[in-house]
Amino acid sequence: MNLRNTFILFFILLSMNLFAQSNPQGLIDTFFNTYKVDAGKAVKELYGTNKWTERVKDDIDKVVGTVNGFTESYMGKYYGQELITIKKFSESFVLYSYLVKYDRQPIRFIFKFYKPNDKWVLYSYALDDSLDDEIQEAAKLYYLNLDKD
């Protein structure tokens, strides 16, 4: 491959990466690609999409500490993630919920993205391990449609 072709390939790959990050799903894909290698770095990069998160640096450090604690000796092997739901509140605000799979238990990751002008940024990110409680609650009789013919 000559220098010209290498240069063109570099710009194609660079533009694909920039395009992937121009929407919430692209940001999430980038997050999980980094997460499987370095969870703390993935969280920091995700928060880095929003300049206002500098004001909550201590809170971000706590989240980084939490995900860095998901070691193989504590949580078992990491197997990836599955989309639970996407909730679009408006053209500029969206929530993505993912099931993150470990040997020990699943963890829900909740991403909220906001587009104040022309660029999507992280609005908030949360971890949640109360899926078991929600599944039990959803299975209660008063949630079931018992009036079927």
Side-chain angles (χ1 to χ4, degrees):
M1 185 179 278
N2 64 34
L3 184 58
R4 179 175 176 251
N5 289 346
T6 303
F7 191 67
I8 291 170
L9 181 61
F10 171 75
F11 278 107
I12 289 171
L13 292 174
L14 180 63
S15 65
M16 286 172 49
N17 190 34
L18 292 175
F19 175 75
Q21 293 187 14
S22 66
N23 61 62
Q25 188 61 61
L27 292 167
I28 291 171
D29 292 345
T30 299
F31 170 84
F32 280 120
N33 284 335
T34 304
Y35 184 86
K36 63 185 166 189
V37 177
D38 186 339
K41 180 180 178 186
V43 170
K44 287 179 185 177
E45 288 177 352
L46 184 64
Y47 275 107
T49 65
N50 188 334
K51 68 180 181 179
W52 298 102
T53 57
E54 280 297 315
R55 297 172 183 236
V56 291
K57 188 177 179 326
D58 291 342
D59 293 331
I60 294 169
D61 289 343
K62 288 178 187 173
V63 174
V64 169
T66 299
V67 298
N68 281 340
F70 295 159
T71 61
E72 195 161 326
S73 63
Y74 181 67
M75 292 292 284
K77 187 173 165 74
Y78 166 70
Y79 292 106
Q81 71 284 341
E82 296 174 0
L83 178 65
I84 297 172
T85 190
I86 300 171
K87 297 292 183 189
K88 184 176 179 181
F89 296 99
S90 73
E91 293 300 316
S92 301
F93 198 85
V94 65
L95 175 146
Y96 286 70
S97 178
Y98 276 85
L99 179 80
V100 178
K101 303 184 308 182
Y102 285 95
D103 276 330
R104 179 178 172 188
Q105 71 184 66
I107 303 288
R108 179 176 24 203
F109 284 14
I110 301 167
F111 304 89
K112 296 176 189 170
F113 294 98
Y114 174 55
K115 186 177 177 183
N117 187 19
D118 60 351
K119 179 183 172 191
W120 286 97
V121 297
L122 179 71
Y123 181 76
S124 72
Y125 165 74
L127 308 167
D128 180 3
D129 65 354
S130 64
L131 289 168
D132 190 43
D133 296 338
E134 286 184 34
I135 290 169
Q136 282 184 274
E137 185 67 21
K140 292 188 176 178
L141 285 176
Y142 57 82
Y143 284 117
L144 300 176
N145 184 2
L146 301 176
D147 297 330
K148 290 184 180 179
D149 293 328

Short mmCIF file of all heavy atoms in Angstrom, two decimals, residues 43-88:
data_model
loop_
_atom_site.label_atom_id
_atom_site.label_comp_id
_atom_site.label_asym_id
_atom_site.label_seq_id
_atom_site.Cartn_x
_atom_site.Cartn_y
_atom_site.Cartn_z
N VAL A 43 -15.86 5.32 30.85
CA VAL A 43 -16.71 6.25 31.59
C VAL A 43 -16.18 7.67 31.46
O VAL A 43 -16.94 8.61 31.19
CB VAL A 43 -16.83 5.83 33.07
CG1 VAL A 43 -17.51 6.92 33.90
CG2 VAL A 43 -17.59 4.51 33.19
N LYS A 44 -14.89 7.85 31.63
CA LYS A 44 -14.30 9.20 31.53
C LYS A 44 -14.50 9.79 30.14
O LYS A 44 -14.83 10.97 30.00
CB LYS A 44 -12.81 9.15 31.86
CG LYS A 44 -12.52 8.94 33.33
CD LYS A 44 -11.03 8.87 33.58
CE LYS A 44 -10.73 8.53 35.01
NZ LYS A 44 -9.29 8.39 35.26
N GLU A 45 -14.31 8.98 29.11
CA GLU A 45 -14.50 9.47 27.73
C GLU A 45 -15.96 9.83 27.47
O GLU A 45 -16.25 10.81 26.79
CB GLU A 45 -14.01 8.44 26.72
CG GLU A 45 -12.50 8.32 26.68
CD GLU A 45 -12.00 7.24 25.73
OE1 GLU A 45 -12.84 6.45 25.20
OE2 GLU A 45 -10.78 7.18 25.52
N LEU A 46 -16.87 9.05 28.00
CA LEU A 46 -18.29 9.32 27.83
C LEU A 46 -18.66 10.65 28.48
O LEU A 46 -19.32 11.49 27.88
CB LEU A 46 -19.13 8.18 28.40
CG LEU A 46 -20.62 8.27 28.21
CD1 LEU A 46 -20.98 8.22 26.73
CD2 LEU A 46 -21.32 7.15 28.95
N TYR A 47 -18.22 10.84 29.71
CA TYR A 47 -18.48 12.11 30.39
C TYR A 47 -17.78 13.27 29.68
O TYR A 47 -18.23 14.41 29.74
CB TYR A 47 -18.07 12.05 31.86
CG TYR A 47 -19.12 11.47 32.76
CD1 TYR A 47 -18.98 10.20 33.31
CD2 TYR A 47 -20.27 12.20 33.07
CE1 TYR A 47 -19.95 9.68 34.15
CE2 TYR A 47 -21.24 11.67 33.91
CZ TYR A 47 -21.07 10.42 34.44
OH TYR A 47 -22.03 9.90 35.26
N GLY A 48 -16.68 12.97 29.02
CA GLY A 48 -15.93 14.00 28.30
C GLY A 48 -16.69 14.61 27.14
O GLY A 48 -16.27 15.64 26.60
N THR A 49 -17.80 14.00 26.73
CA THR A 49 -18.59 14.57 25.63
C THR A 49 -19.33 15.83 26.07
O THR A 49 -19.83 16.57 25.23
CB THR A 49 -19.62 13.56 25.09
OG1 THR A 49 -20.60 13.28 26.11
CG2 THR A 49 -18.95 12.28 24.62
N ASN A 50 -19.41 16.06 27.38
CA ASN A 50 -20.15 17.21 27.90
C ASN A 50 -19.23 18.06 28.77
O ASN A 50 -18.79 17.62 29.83
CB ASN A 50 -21.35 16.72 28.72
CG ASN A 50 -22.27 17.84 29.13
OD1 ASN A 50 -21.87 18.99 29.25
ND2 ASN A 50 -23.53 17.49 29.37
N LYS A 51 -18.94 19.27 28.31
CA LYS A 51 -18.01 20.13 29.03
C LYS A 51 -18.48 20.49 30.43
O LYS A 51 -17.69 20.84 31.30
CB LYS A 51 -17.74 21.41 28.23
CG LYS A 51 -18.93 22.33 28.13
CD LYS A 51 -18.60 23.57 27.33
CE LYS A 51 -19.82 24.48 27.26
NZ LYS A 51 -19.54 25.69 26.52
N TRP A 52 -19.76 20.39 30.70
CA TRP A 52 -20.31 20.77 31.99
C TRP A 52 -20.06 19.73 33.07
O TRP A 52 -20.24 20.00 34.26
CB TRP A 52 -21.81 21.06 31.87
CG TRP A 52 -22.05 22.21 30.96
CD1 TRP A 52 -22.46 22.15 29.65
CD2 TRP A 52 -21.85 23.60 31.24
NE1 TRP A 52 -22.54 23.39 29.12
CE2 TRP A 52 -22.18 24.32 30.07
CE3 TRP A 52 -21.44 24.30 32.36
CZ2 TRP A 52 -22.10 25.70 29.99
CZ3 TRP A 52 -21.36 25.68 32.28
CH2 TRP A 52 -21.69 26.36 31.12
N THR A 53 -19.64 18.54 32.69
CA THR A 53 -19.42 17.49 33.70
C THR A 53 -18.17 17.74 34.54
O THR A 53 -18.00 17.09 35.55
CB THR A 53 -19.34 16.09 33.05
OG1 THR A 53 -18.29 16.08 32.09
CG2 THR A 53 -20.65 15.72 32.40
N GLU A 54 -17.33 18.69 34.14
CA GLU A 54 -16.18 19.05 34.98
C GLU A 54 -16.62 19.47 36.37
O GLU A 54 -15.89 19.33 37.34
CB GLU A 54 -15.38 20.19 34.32
CG GLU A 54 -14.46 19.72 33.21
CD GLU A 54 -13.38 18.78 33.71
OE1 GLU A 54 -12.76 19.06 34.76
OE2 GLU A 54 -13.16 17.74 33.06
N ARG A 55 -17.83 19.97 36.47
CA ARG A 55 -18.35 20.45 37.76
C ARG A 55 -18.69 19.30 38.71
O ARG A 55 -18.89 19.53 39.90
CB ARG A 55 -19.61 21.29 37.53
CG ARG A 55 -19.32 22.53 36.73
CD ARG A 55 -20.60 23.24 36.37
NE ARG A 55 -20.34 24.39 35.55
CZ ARG A 55 -20.73 25.62 35.84
NH1 ARG A 55 -21.43 25.84 36.92
NH2 ARG A 55 -20.43 26.61 35.05
N VAL A 56 -18.80 18.09 38.19
CA VAL A 56 -19.14 16.93 39.03
C VAL A 56 -18.03 15.88 38.98
O VAL A 56 -18.30 14.68 39.00
CB VAL A 56 -20.51 16.32 38.63
CG1 VAL A 56 -21.64 17.26 38.97
CG2 VAL A 56 -20.53 15.95 37.15
N LYS A 57 -16.80 16.34 38.94
CA LYS A 57 -15.66 15.44 38.81
C LYS A 57 -15.61 14.39 39.91
O LYS A 57 -15.30 13.23 39.66
CB LYS A 57 -14.35 16.24 38.78
CG LYS A 57 -13.14 15.40 38.45
CD LYS A 57 -11.89 16.23 38.37
CE LYS A 57 -10.65 15.43 38.08
NZ LYS A 57 -10.56 14.11 38.61
N ASP A 58 -15.92 14.77 41.15
CA ASP A 58 -15.90 13.81 42.26
C ASP A 58 -16.92 12.70 42.05
O ASP A 58 -16.64 11.52 42.33
CB ASP A 58 -16.16 14.51 43.60
CG ASP A 58 -15.01 15.41 44.02
OD1 ASP A 58 -13.89 15.25 43.49
OD2 ASP A 58 -15.23 16.27 44.89
N ASP A 59 -18.09 13.05 41.54
CA ASP A 59 -19.12 12.04 41.27
C ASP A 59 -18.67 11.10 40.15
O ASP A 59 -18.91 9.89 40.21
CB ASP A 59 -20.44 12.70 40.90
CG ASP A 59 -21.05 13.46 42.07
OD1 ASP A 59 -20.81 13.07 43.23
OD2 ASP A 59 -21.78 14.44 41.82
N ILE A 60 -18.03 11.66 39.14
CA ILE A 60 -17.53 10.85 38.02
C ILE A 60 -16.47 9.88 38.54
O ILE A 60 -16.46 8.70 38.17
CB ILE A 60 -16.97 11.73 36.89
CG1 ILE A 60 -18.11 12.54 36.27
CG2 ILE A 60 -16.26 10.89 35.84
CD1 ILE A 60 -17.65 13.64 35.32
N ASP A 61 -15.59 10.36 39.41
CA ASP A 61 -14.55 9.49 39.98
C ASP A 61 -15.17 8.33 40.76
O ASP A 61 -14.64 7.22 40.75
CB ASP A 61 -13.62 10.30 40.87
CG ASP A 61 -12.72 11.24 40.09
OD1 ASP A 61 -12.57 11.06 38.86
OD2 ASP A 61 -12.17 12.18 40.71
N LYS A 62 -16.30 8.56 41.43
CA LYS A 62 -16.99 7.48 42.15
C LYS A 62 -17.52 6.43 41.17
O LYS A 62 -17.42 5.23 41.41
CB LYS A 62 -18.14 8.04 42.97
CG LYS A 62 -17.70 8.82 44.18
CD LYS A 62 -18.88 9.39 44.93
CE LYS A 62 -18.42 10.32 46.05
NZ LYS A 62 -19.53 11.01 46.69
N VAL A 63 -18.09 6.89 40.05
CA VAL A 63 -18.60 5.96 39.04
C VAL A 63 -17.45 5.16 38.43
O VAL A 63 -17.54 3.94 38.25
CB VAL A 63 -19.39 6.70 37.94
CG1 VAL A 63 -19.79 5.74 36.82
CG2 VAL A 63 -20.61 7.38 38.52
N VAL A 64 -16.34 5.85 38.15
CA VAL A 64 -15.15 5.17 37.62
C VAL A 64 -14.68 4.11 38.61
O VAL A 64 -14.36 2.98 38.22
CB VAL A 64 -14.03 6.18 37.30
CG1 VAL A 64 -12.71 5.47 37.02
CG2 VAL A 64 -14.42 7.07 36.11
N GLY A 65 -14.66 4.44 39.89
CA GLY A 65 -14.27 3.47 40.91
C GLY A 65 -15.21 2.27 40.94
O GLY A 65 -14.77 1.13 41.10
N THR A 66 -16.49 2.53 40.77
CA THR A 66 -17.47 1.44 40.76
C THR A 66 -17.24 0.49 39.59
O THR A 66 -17.14 -0.73 39.78
CB THR A 66 -18.91 2.00 40.70
OG1 THR A 66 -19.14 2.80 41.85
CG2 THR A 66 -19.93 0.87 40.65
N VAL A 67 -17.14 1.02 38.37
CA VAL A 67 -16.96 0.13 37.21
C VAL A 67 -15.59 -0.53 37.22
O VAL A 67 -15.47 -1.68 36.77
CB VAL A 67 -17.23 0.85 35.86
CG1 VAL A 67 -18.65 1.33 35.77
CG2 VAL A 67 -16.24 1.96 35.60
N ASN A 68 -14.59 0.15 37.75
CA ASN A 68 -13.27 -0.49 37.86
C ASN A 68 -13.31 -1.63 38.89
O ASN A 68 -12.47 -2.52 38.85
CB ASN A 68 -12.19 0.53 38.23
CG ASN A 68 -11.74 1.34 37.03
OD1 ASN A 68 -11.92 0.96 35.88
ND2 ASN A 68 -11.14 2.49 37.30
N GLY A 69 -14.29 -1.59 39.79
CA GLY A 69 -14.45 -2.66 40.78
C GLY A 69 -15.13 -3.91 40.23
O GLY A 69 -15.18 -4.93 40.90
N PHE A 70 -15.64 -3.82 39.02
CA PHE A 70 -16.27 -4.98 38.39
C PHE A 70 -15.20 -5.91 37.81
O PHE A 70 -15.18 -6.22 36.63
CB PHE A 70 -17.25 -4.57 37.29
CG PHE A 70 -18.45 -3.80 37.77
CD1 PHE A 70 -19.17 -3.02 36.89
CD2 PHE A 70 -18.88 -3.86 39.08
CE1 PHE A 70 -20.30 -2.31 37.30
CE2 PHE A 70 -19.99 -3.15 39.51
CZ PHE A 70 -20.70 -2.38 38.62
N THR A 71 -14.31 -6.34 38.66
CA THR A 71 -13.23 -7.21 38.24
C THR A 71 -13.74 -8.63 38.03
O THR A 71 -14.83 -8.98 38.50
CB THR A 71 -12.11 -7.23 39.29
OG1 THR A 71 -12.65 -7.74 40.52
CG2 THR A 71 -11.53 -5.84 39.51
N GLU A 72 -12.95 -9.44 37.38
CA GLU A 72 -13.35 -10.82 37.15
C GLU A 72 -13.47 -11.59 38.47
O GLU A 72 -14.34 -12.45 38.61
CB GLU A 72 -12.38 -11.52 36.19
CG GLU A 72 -12.95 -12.80 35.65
CD GLU A 72 -12.27 -13.30 34.41
OE1 GLU A 72 -11.82 -12.47 33.58
OE2 GLU A 72 -12.21 -14.53 34.25
N SER A 73 -12.65 -11.25 39.44
CA SER A 73 -12.74 -11.95 40.73
C SER A 73 -13.99 -11.53 41.52
O SER A 73 -14.46 -12.28 42.37
CB SER A 73 -11.49 -11.70 41.57
OG SER A 73 -11.36 -10.33 41.89
N TYR A 74 -14.55 -10.36 41.23
CA TYR A 74 -15.74 -9.89 41.94
C TYR A 74 -17.03 -10.18 41.17
O TYR A 74 -18.02 -10.60 41.76
CB TYR A 74 -15.62 -8.38 42.20
CG TYR A 74 -16.80 -7.80 42.94
CD1 TYR A 74 -17.06 -8.14 44.26
CD2 TYR A 74 -17.67 -6.91 42.31
CE1 TYR A 74 -18.15 -7.62 44.94
CE2 TYR A 74 -18.76 -6.37 42.98
CZ TYR A 74 -19.00 -6.72 44.29
OH TYR A 74 -20.08 -6.21 44.95
N MET A 75 -17.03 -9.94 39.85
CA MET A 75 -18.25 -10.09 39.04
C MET A 75 -18.21 -11.26 38.08
O MET A 75 -19.21 -11.58 37.46
CB MET A 75 -18.49 -8.82 38.23
CG MET A 75 -18.86 -7.62 39.07
SD MET A 75 -20.47 -7.79 39.85
CE MET A 75 -21.56 -7.47 38.47
N GLY A 76 -17.06 -11.88 37.94
CA GLY A 76 -16.94 -12.94 36.95
C GLY A 76 -16.63 -12.34 35.58
O GLY A 76 -16.34 -11.15 35.44
N LYS A 77 -16.74 -13.16 34.59
CA LYS A 77 -16.42 -12.75 33.23
C LYS A 77 -17.48 -11.78 32.68
O LYS A 77 -18.66 -11.92 32.96
CB LYS A 77 -16.34 -13.98 32.35
CG LYS A 77 -15.87 -13.72 30.94
CD LYS A 77 -15.67 -15.03 30.20
CE LYS A 77 -15.54 -14.87 28.73
NZ LYS A 77 -14.41 -14.37 28.16
N TYR A 78 -17.02 -10.81 31.90
CA TYR A 78 -17.90 -9.86 31.21
C TYR A 78 -18.26 -10.45 29.85
O TYR A 78 -17.39 -10.87 29.10
CB TYR A 78 -17.17 -8.52 31.05
CG TYR A 78 -17.82 -7.56 30.09
CD1 TYR A 78 -19.02 -6.95 30.40
CD2 TYR A 78 -17.22 -7.26 28.87
CE1 TYR A 78 -19.62 -6.06 29.51
CE2 TYR A 78 -17.81 -6.37 27.98
CZ TYR A 78 -19.00 -5.77 28.31
OH TYR A 78 -19.60 -4.90 27.43
N TYR A 79 -19.55 -10.51 29.54
CA TYR A 79 -20.01 -11.13 28.30
C TYR A 79 -20.61 -10.16 27.29
O TYR A 79 -21.11 -10.59 26.25
CB TYR A 79 -21.05 -12.21 28.61
CG TYR A 79 -20.45 -13.40 29.32
CD1 TYR A 79 -20.68 -13.60 30.67
CD2 TYR A 79 -19.66 -14.31 28.64
CE1 TYR A 79 -20.13 -14.69 31.33
CE2 TYR A 79 -19.10 -15.40 29.29
CZ TYR A 79 -19.34 -15.58 30.63
OH TYR A 79 -18.79 -16.65 31.28
N GLY A 80 -20.61 -8.88 27.58
CA GLY A 80 -21.16 -7.93 26.63
C GLY A 80 -22.43 -7.29 27.15
O GLY A 80 -22.69 -7.28 28.35
N GLN A 81 -23.21 -6.77 26.22
CA GLN A 81 -24.41 -6.02 26.60
C GLN A 81 -25.55 -6.31 25.63
O GLN A 81 -25.32 -6.77 24.52
CB GLN A 81 -24.12 -4.52 26.62
CG GLN A 81 -23.92 -3.88 25.27
CD GLN A 81 -22.57 -4.15 24.63
OE1 GLN A 81 -21.63 -4.51 25.32
NE2 GLN A 81 -22.46 -3.97 23.33
N GLU A 82 -26.76 -6.05 26.12
CA GLU A 82 -27.96 -6.17 25.30
C GLU A 82 -28.82 -4.94 25.52
O GLU A 82 -28.99 -4.49 26.66
CB GLU A 82 -28.77 -7.41 25.71
CG GLU A 82 -28.07 -8.72 25.49
CD GLU A 82 -28.85 -9.91 26.03
OE1 GLU A 82 -29.96 -9.71 26.59
OE2 GLU A 82 -28.35 -11.03 25.92
N LEU A 83 -29.38 -4.43 24.47
CA LEU A 83 -30.27 -3.29 24.57
C LEU A 83 -31.57 -3.71 25.24
O LEU A 83 -32.18 -4.71 24.85
CB LEU A 83 -30.57 -2.72 23.17
CG LEU A 83 -31.53 -1.53 23.11
CD1 LEU A 83 -30.93 -0.32 23.79
CD2 LEU A 83 -31.86 -1.22 21.66
N ILE A 84 -32.00 -2.96 26.25
CA ILE A 84 -33.29 -3.21 26.90
C ILE A 84 -34.35 -2.33 26.24
O ILE A 84 -35.38 -2.82 25.80
CB ILE A 84 -33.23 -2.91 28.42
CG1 ILE A 84 -32.25 -3.85 29.11
CG2 ILE A 84 -34.62 -3.04 29.04
CD1 ILE A 84 -31.98 -3.51 30.56
N THR A 85 -34.10 -1.03 26.19
CA THR A 85 -35.08 -0.12 25.60
C THR A 85 -34.43 1.21 25.22
O THR A 85 -33.37 1.57 25.74
CB THR A 85 -36.26 0.13 26.56
OG1 THR A 85 -37.29 0.81 25.87
CG2 THR A 85 -35.84 0.95 27.76
N ILE A 86 -35.10 1.90 24.33
CA ILE A 86 -34.77 3.28 23.98
C ILE A 86 -36.04 4.09 24.18
O ILE A 86 -37.10 3.70 23.69
CB ILE A 86 -34.32 3.41 22.51
CG1 ILE A 86 -33.08 2.56 22.23
CG2 ILE A 86 -34.06 4.88 22.16
CD1 ILE A 86 -32.72 2.48 20.74
N LYS A 87 -35.94 5.16 24.90
CA LYS A 87 -37.08 6.06 25.12
C LYS A 87 -36.71 7.44 24.59
O LYS A 87 -35.79 8.08 25.09
CB LYS A 87 -37.44 6.18 26.61
CG LYS A 87 -37.88 4.88 27.24
CD LYS A 87 -39.21 4.43 26.70
CE LYS A 87 -39.66 3.16 27.40
NZ LYS A 87 -40.80 2.56 26.81
N LYS A 88 -37.42 7.85 23.57
CA LYS A 88 -37.18 9.17 22.97
C LYS A 88 -38.19 10.14 23.56
O LYS A 88 -39.39 10.02 23.34
CB LYS A 88 -37.33 9.09 21.46
CG LYS A 88 -37.02 10.35 20.74
CD LYS A 88 -37.12 10.13 19.22
CE LYS A 88 -36.83 11.40 18.48
NZ LYS A 88 -36.94 11.20 17.03
#
